Each structure stands twice: as structure tokens, then as C-alpha cells.
Amino acid sequence: MNFIWDITTDSHAGRVALFENVNALPAPLLRERLYHEYDRTPFMNHIRKSIGLPL
């Protein structure tokens, strides 16, 4: 366990974690951007066709 602790919590890991916490975008914002930017049209058309809804 000491080896795993040394690998995952060394000074670099601490700096990376701090950087990500301070500078990263919040996860809900990233999920919202992905939802709005991803083209879901082909999948929606496939679902509509499968259940018999007009395209």
C-alpha cells in the first residue's frame, strides 16, 4: 500500500489535482456543452423510424 500511496499522492499528483480543481471547467457545464454540441440527428432518426414516428 505504501508503494501505491507514493505513486498516486506524490507532489506532482497533488499539483495536478490542485490545477484541475482550480482551472478545469465544472463537470455539469461540460456535460451541457456535450449535449448541445453533439449531433444526435442520425440516432434520433433511427429511433423514430424504429417506433414508426414520421421523420
Side-chain angles (χ1 to χ4, degrees):
M1 286 305 284
N2 286 340
F3 177 67
I4 294 170
W5 180 264
D6 288 342
I7 292 174
T8 59
T9 60
D10 67 352
S11 61
H12 179 68
R15 286 192 300 270
V16 169
L18 178 63
F19 177 83
E20 290 297 325
N21 285 336
V22 172
N23 295 313
L25 293 173
L29 177 64
L30 292 175
R31 282 193 288 272
E32 182 179 358
R33 276 188 62 193
L34 178 62
Y35 180 80
H36 290 296
E37 292 177 9
Y38 189 75
D39 182 21
R40 298 178 307 276
T41 306
F43 305 108
M44 296 298 291
N45 288 341
H46 177 73
I47 299 291
R48 286 184 176 128
K49 182 179 173 186
S50 297
I51 62 175
L53 290 175
L55 300 175

